Amino acid sequence: QVQLVESGGGLVQAVGSLRLSCAASGRTFSDYAMGWFRQAPGKEREFVAAISWGGGSTRSADAVKGRFTISRDNAKNTVYLQMNNLKPEDTAVYYCAANSKYGGTGAYEYAYWGQGTQVTVSS
C-alpha cells in the first residue's frame, strides 16, 4: 500500500502561481511513477502530468504545457506540481497518484490516490 497526501492548494488570482506537494508513505517511493490529475465540478478526472521513477522523464497534458512542471524528490518521498500563469479554467481538485508503470494518462492506470487538494483560480 502507498499512502498519498496532497497539500498546497488554495485560492489564487489568475496569472498567479501555486506549488502542490504530495507526500508518500508506506512503500518504496522510487518504485513508483507518479502522476497528477484534476477534476473540475461536473467533469471527468483528467490527466495533468506524470514523472518517471527517478524523475528523468516527464510528460504533461497540452492544456498545461509551458505552465506546469512536475518534479520529485525521492529523498523526501514527495512529488511536486509547480503551477504558473494559472487560469480560471485550472480550477479543480488536484490529485496525485502512484503507478508501477510510467507514462499512463488514464486514471484507471493508477493504483493509489491521494484525497485531493482544491485549487481555485479567480479571474
Side-chain angles (χ1 to χ4, degrees), residues 38 46-48 60-68 84-85 87 89-90:
R38 67 186 182 186
E46 65 173 358
F47 171 76
V48 174
S60 58
D62 288 344
V64 305
K65 279 182 180 176
R67 300 189 298 123
F68 291 10
N84 298 328
N85 190 21
K87 303 176 181 180
E89 52 263 43
D90 294 319

Side-chain angles (χ1 to χ4, degrees), residues 25-56:
S25 61
R27 302 283 287 269
T28 303
F29 182 60
S30 58
D31 285 348
Y32 293 90
M34 299 297 296
W36 284 97
F37 288 75
R38 67 186 182 186
Q39 188 166 18
K43 294 188 177 181
E44 292 187 356
R45 194 167 297 189
E46 65 173 358
F47 171 76
V48 174
I51 189 166
S52 61
W53 310 266

Side-chain angles (χ1 to χ4, degrees), residues 8-31:
L11 174 64
V12 63
Q13 289 187 331
V15 309
S17 298
L18 280 176
R19 187 175 82 155
L20 305 183
S21 299
C22 172
S25 61
R27 302 283 287 269
T28 303
F29 182 60
S30 58
D31 285 348

Side-chain angles (χ1 to χ4, degrees), residues 31-111:
D31 285 348
Y32 293 90
M34 299 297 296
W36 284 97
F37 288 75
R38 67 186 182 186
Q39 188 166 18
K43 294 188 177 181
E44 292 187 356
R45 194 167 297 189
E46 65 173 358
F47 171 76
V48 174
I51 189 166
S52 61
W53 310 266
S57 296
T58 64
R59 65 182 303 182
S60 58
D62 288 344
V64 305
K65 279 182 180 176
R67 300 189 298 123
F68 291 10
T69 302
I70 188 171
S71 62
R72 67 190 293 163
D73 185 337
N74 284 349
K76 295 182 178 180
N77 292 349
T78 302
V79 62
Y80 305 96
L81 186 67
Q82 178 67 45
M83 305 186 295
N84 298 328
N85 190 21
L86 282 159
K87 303 176 181 180
E89 52 263 43
D90 294 319
T91 295
V93 177
Y94 283 72
Y95 299 89
C96 71
N99 186 13
S100 58
K101 298 180 180 180
Y102 164 67
T105 61
Y108 68 92
E109 299 178 77
Y110 289 77

